[in-house]
């Protein structure tokens, strides 16, 4: 007899232990506590000690968290005013902002840093360290955090979300039950908060099943951030110095830019964002990042240093017009899952935290009334709509779309948007899903040709994907089914290889997809080294045929990020 599926009934379920869930759960727990204390004197109805749970797919909180990151601390200050006294892990407060336009070997400094990139007084943080610390604060408020529990299926009853099924454990690569087989648990709750981060696999199920959530919205579009943390010789950059770069090594057709953030103890965070709506099927974001490090500005910083950490993650760039309907019966969407990142400021931790806080406010009201329908939970939509989240997203509402026709029109649109409240050239610009913009080899190069030879790396300043990957701590149990599903493998062999030259080999920053000849029939096919996967979701987003489905592996698998 296989073991029975466990059912855990919780009062509020948050999915993903990122900044939205952690801030939301802390706020909710505090709010309930304050309410119950005052209910003693007012005679108001108390809320029974609630079971607030957070499920997290990583081995521990923070293991899968990655961001630049410069944090706008407003929601953190509101949520935990004494966060510094409580040991919040802040690398440095931003003391200097610079923006450079890079050419192949040179740099032109912007005479004035544009207001959205002014970060004075904000915090340079490692998102992994911040989420770890926030989880401790949440647990101190009585919130239960469940690492190694990836949500694999949304549970619904008559169109209402009733919880999440988590991933089974103990299945071998052929799909057979191993002796340690354990079916995933069902976490049921009157309300589930989806805060899985970018391109959440559960949110994807919801958007597919409930297309009304994205009705009249622009499709969500994304960028991939490839990042390393370095320890460098002392004195080259101060903690809190923030530099952003434009142009090199990307061409003017490709959206993106770089960041350099000074951390404490002579560490720096460096990374390159590449818009996942590029046209060139041969583009390799990881190789572009390595090329960027060869620029004299970067070379002068990292030469003689040591790369200590590597990771990659996607981020939503669609902004205001891609924000979905935020609630439905029994569910709420927060943070990056709901495209709340401000693409002009390249910041989303603060909006994620604030969205979690507003979700908690709406859930608190629902707990009092006992009504978790959309009619009740849409109080959350209204709170977001009336808040600074929306004003901020509106002020950058056409930012990313402006770059769809290249760098120069993007810059003109952005400049205009400073004058007309965020509209730029048009009040609402449409967007295409990123994968639709990738061109075939024939379209992009005007002739059929083979992908270029892989870039060579020196192993000191520039690294191949596998060397980088080693510094991400990524591990998955090998004896399990691949969590990356190619839904129609024939398309890879018969079409993609000819039309696009297997772009999955290049857009994946972790060397997961390898094109090889089948030993039996000599036909080309894709080998999937899924154990390398850093869970960035690029393949799910950028595959031109949309036949790659990222699903959850067994709990605890994935990167083990440090200082990212
Ligand atoms: Fe990212 Fe997909 Fe590669 Fe995993 S397989 S690292 S999700 S692109």
């Amino acid at each position: 007899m296989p073991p029975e599926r466990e059912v855990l009934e919780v009062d509020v379920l948050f999915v993903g232990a990122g900044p939205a869930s952690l801030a939301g759960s802390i706020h909710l727990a505090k709010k309930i506590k304050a309410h119950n204390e005052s209910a003693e004197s007012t005679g108001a109805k108390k809320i029974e000690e609630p079971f607030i749970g957070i499920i997290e797919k990583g081995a521990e909180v923070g293991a899968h968290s990655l961001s630049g990151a410069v944090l706008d601390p407003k929601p953190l200050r509101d949520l935990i005013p004494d966060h510094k006294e409580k040991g919040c892990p802040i690398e440095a407060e931003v003391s200097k902002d610079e923006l450079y336009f890079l050419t192949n070997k040179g740099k032109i400094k912007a005479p004035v840093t544009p207001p959205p990139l002014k970060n004075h007084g904000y915090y340079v943080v490692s998102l992994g360290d911040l989420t770890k610390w926030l989880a401790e604060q949440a647990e101190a408020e009585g919130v239960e955090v469940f690492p190694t529990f990836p949500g694999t299926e949304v549970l619904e009853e008559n169109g209402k979300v009733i919880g999440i099924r988590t991933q089974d454990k103990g299945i071998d690569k052929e799909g057979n039950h191993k002796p340690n087989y354990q079916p995933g648990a069902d976490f049921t709750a009157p309300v589930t908060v989806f805060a899985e981060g970018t391109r959440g696999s559960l949110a994807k199920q919801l958007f597919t099943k409930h297309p009304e959530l994205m009705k009249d919205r622009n499709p969500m579009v994304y960028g991939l951030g490839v990042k390393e943390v370095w320890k460098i010789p002392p004195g080259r950059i101060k903690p809190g110095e923030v530099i952003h770069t434009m142009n090199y090594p990307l061409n003017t057709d490709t959206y993106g830019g770089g960041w350099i953030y000074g951390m404490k103890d002579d560490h720096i965070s460096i990374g390159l964002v590449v818009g996942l709506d590029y046209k060139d099927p041969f583009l390799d974001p990881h190789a572009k990042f390595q090329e960027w490090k060869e620029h004299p500005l970067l070379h002068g910083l990292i030469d003689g240093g040591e790369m200590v950490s590597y990771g990659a993650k996607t981020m939503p760039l669609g902004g205001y017009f891609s924000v979905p309907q935020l609630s439905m019966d029994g569910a709420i969407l927060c943070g990056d899952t709901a495209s709340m990142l401000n693409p002009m400021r390249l910041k989303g931790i603060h909006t994620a935290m604030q969205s979690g806080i507003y979700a908690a406010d709406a859930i608190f009201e629902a707990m009092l009334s006992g009504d978790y329908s959309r009619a009740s939970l849409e109080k959350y939509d209204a709170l977001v709509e009336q808040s600074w989240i929306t004003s901020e997203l509106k002020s950058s509402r056409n930012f990313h779309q402006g770059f769809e026709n290249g760098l120069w029109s993007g810059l003109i649109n952005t400049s205009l948007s400073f004058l007309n409240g965020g509209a730029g050239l048009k009040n609402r610009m449409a967007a295409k899903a990123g994968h639709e913009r990738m061109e075939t080899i024939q379209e992009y190069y005007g002739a059929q040709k083979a992908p270029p030879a892989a870039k060579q790396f020196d192993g000191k300043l520039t690294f191949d994907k596998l060397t980088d990957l080693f510094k991400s701590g990524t591990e998955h149990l090998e004896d399990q089914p691949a969590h990356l599903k190619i839904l129609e493998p024939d398309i890879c062999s018969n079409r993609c290889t000819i039309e696009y030259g297997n772009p999955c080999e290049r857009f994946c920053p972790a060397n997961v997809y390898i094109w090889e000849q089948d030993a039996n029939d000599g036909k080309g096919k894709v080998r999937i080294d899924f154990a390398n996967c850093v869970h960035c979701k690029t393949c799910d987003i950028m595959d031109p045929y949309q036949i790659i489905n990222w699903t959850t592996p067994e709990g605890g698998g994935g990167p083990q990020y440090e200082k990212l």
Side-chain angles (χ1 to χ4, degrees):
M1 276 281 282
E4 290 207 349
R5 191 180 299 284
E6 211 181 325
V7 178
L8 271 103
E9 288 177 25
V10 305
D11 295 303
V12 183
L13 178 64
F14 288 86
V15 183
S21 291
L22 292 163
S25 60
I26 292 169
H27 183 61
L28 182 60
K30 283 181 172 178
K31 198 160 176 154
I32 292 169
K33 197 168 160 198
H35 166 83
N36 285 348
E37 276 166 15
S38 70
E40 301 275 348
S41 52
T42 59
K45 183 181 145 200
K46 280 192 180 180
I47 296 174
E48 287 301 317
E49 187 115 328
F51 185 168
I52 304 171
I54 303 178
I55 56 168
E56 161 58 37
K57 67 183 167 64
E60 57 181 356
V61 176
H64 293 183
S65 297
L66 181 152
S67 182
V70 173
L71 168 70
D72 177 342
K74 181 178 166 20
L76 176 63
R77 283 190 185 128
D78 293 345
L79 183 69
I80 308 176
D82 55 349
H83 56 277
K84 285 187 185 168
E85 293 74 20
K86 287 188 162 157
C88 178
I90 298 165
E91 290 287 327
E93 294 196 13
V94 177
S95 52
K96 189 172 163 188
D97 286 297
E98 287 176 343
L99 173 65
Y100 287 101
F101 184 91
L102 301 186
T103 58
N104 281 10
K105 296 276 172 220
K107 62 179 195 291
I108 302 162
K109 186 177 165 187
V112 184
T113 304
L117 293 181
K118 283 195 174 147
N119 294 296
H120 204 87
Y122 294 171
Y123 301 162
V124 176
V125 294
S126 143
L127 183 60
D129 289 351
L130 180 70
T131 49
K132 249 181 229 147
W133 177 81
L134 281 170
E136 285 164 19
Q137 310 311 305
E139 284 171 335
E141 297 293 342
V143 175
E144 299 262 4
V145 185
F146 298 89
T148 76
F149 279 84
T152 190
E153 188 186 336
V154 180
L155 301 173
E156 286 190 32
E157 213 170 70
N158 304 321
K160 177 183 186 297
V161 174
I162 57 162
I164 297 299
R165 175 160 297 172
T166 60
Q167 182 71 38
D168 294 347
K169 290 182 177 155
I171 296 185
D172 72 15
K173 58 182 166 210
E174 314 299 342
N176 305 312
H177 293 180
K178 295 192 273 191
N180 65 339
Y181 171 71
Q182 183 67 48
D186 282 354
F187 284 77
T188 62
V191 60
T192 302
V193 179
F194 292 85
E196 302 169 271
T198 313
R199 190 76 157 198
S201 47
L202 296 172
K204 188 175 164 187
Q205 291 177 22
L206 271 188
F207 292 138
T208 305
K209 197 160 175 204
H210 300 275
E212 69 278 9
L213 293 171
M214 285 300 287
K215 189 165 178 269
D216 299 330
R217 270 73 172 179
N218 284 353
M220 291 195 192
V221 288
Y222 307 90
L224 170 65
V226 186
K227 173 176 176 179
E228 288 170 356
V229 170
W230 281 68
K231 178 150 175 66
I232 56 170
R236 293 192 179 167
I237 187 170
K238 290 198 183 92
E241 281 188 26
V242 163
I243 300 170
H244 288 106
T245 73
M246 294 164 55
N247 197 45
Y248 177 86
L250 304 172
N251 62 23
T252 53
D253 261 359
T254 306
Y255 179 88
W259 79 79
I260 303 166
Y261 300 156
M263 300 166 80
K264 63 187 177 197
D265 302 327
D266 301 311
H267 283 74
I268 51 169
S269 155
I270 57 174
L272 185 75
V273 174
V274 177
L276 290 178
D277 50 1
Y278 58 79
K279 294 181 182 170
D280 180 358
F282 293 160
L283 191 144
D284 181 333
H286 173 271
K288 284 285 161 197
F289 171 58
Q290 301 304 320
E291 210 176 314
W292 178 70
K293 290 192 295 174
E294 291 170 336
H295 189 277
L297 174 67
L298 271 296
H299 189 278
L301 284 169
I302 61 177
D303 189 27
E306 183 199 354
M307 191 263 288
V308 295
S309 215
Y310 168 78
K313 182 180 169 286
T314 48
M315 67 194 74
L317 295 174
Y320 179 73
F321 291 120
S322 297
V323 174
Q325 176 183 308
L326 293 173
S327 62
M328 58 182 286
D329 288 345
I332 273 177
L333 304 170
C334 284
D336 281 2
T337 295
S339 194
M340 286 186 185
L341 182 141
N342 179 341
M344 186 145 67
R345 298 178 74 199
L346 215 59
K347 281 189 181 37
I349 304 174
H350 67 312
T351 45
M353 288 181 76
Q354 190 64 51
S355 69
I357 290 168
Y358 288 140
D361 286 333
I363 291 168
F364 175 77
E365 297 295 331
M367 288 176 116
L368 288 177
S369 66
D371 179 2
Y372 296 91
S373 68
R374 155 98 169 126
S376 164
L377 296 177
E378 72 181 341
K379 178 160 195 282
Y380 165 62
D381 304 50
L383 286 168
V384 172
E385 179 61 30
Q386 291 149 15
S387 74
W388 59 260
I389 297 179
T390 297
S391 335
E392 204 184 304
L393 294 183
K394 261 190 181 162
S395 70
S396 59
R397 61 190 176 276
N398 287 319
F399 177 75
H400 181 75
Q401 299 95 300
F403 286 89
E404 283 207 352
N405 293 319
L407 177 67
W408 305 118
S409 68
L411 290 177
I412 292 167
N413 181 59
T414 305
S415 309
L416 262 178
S417 75
F418 292 139
L419 304 173
N420 64 9
L425 294 164
K426 205 172 165 190
N427 194 33
R428 176 173 179 173
M429 290 186 186
K432 259 189 181 177
H435 69 275
E436 290 176 8
R437 282 173 48 86
M438 187 187 284
E439 295 184 350
T440 61
I441 300 169
Q442 185 71 42
E443 285 165 344
Y444 192 80
Y445 289 99
Q448 201 60 27
K449 57 191 263 188
K455 185 176 160 52
Q456 294 302 302
F457 305 103
D458 66 10
K460 291 182 187 138
L461 298 186
T462 58
F463 307 103
D464 60 25
K465 289 178 184 174
L466 288 180
T467 307
D468 255 334
L469 190 67
F470 181 70
K471 298 281 186 175
S472 70
T474 301
E475 271 183 353
H476 290 86
L477 204 60
E478 299 264 357
D479 190 17
Q480 64 173 306
H483 64 281
L484 297 143
K485 315 282 184 203
I486 298 191
L487 306 176
E488 296 178 62
D490 281 353
I491 290 186
C492 307
S493 307
N494 300 333
R495 288 186 58 193
C496 186
T497 190
I498 299 159
E499 292 171 348
Y500 295 94
N502 310 109
C504 56
E505 284 197 297
R506 291 173 293 280
F507 58 55
C508 170
N511 224 47
V512 168
Y513 299 100
I514 314 285
W515 183 247
E516 60 180 20
Q517 306 300 314
D518 189 296
N520 297 322
D521 59 13
K523 261 181 99 176
K525 64 168 191 164
V526 177
R527 187 180 89 218
I528 302 176
D529 288 352
F530 70 87
N532 290 351
C533 177
V534 295
H535 299 199
C536 71
K537 316 284 179 75
T538 301
C539 50
D540 194 293
I541 293 165
M542 202 53 190
D543 166 48
Y545 304 95
Q546 291 294 281
I547 54 167
I548 300 180
N549 195 28
W550 190 95
T551 65
T552 45
E554 198 168 303
Q560 189 65 44
Y561 287 150
E562 286 190 18
K563 284 186 98 60
L564 290 168

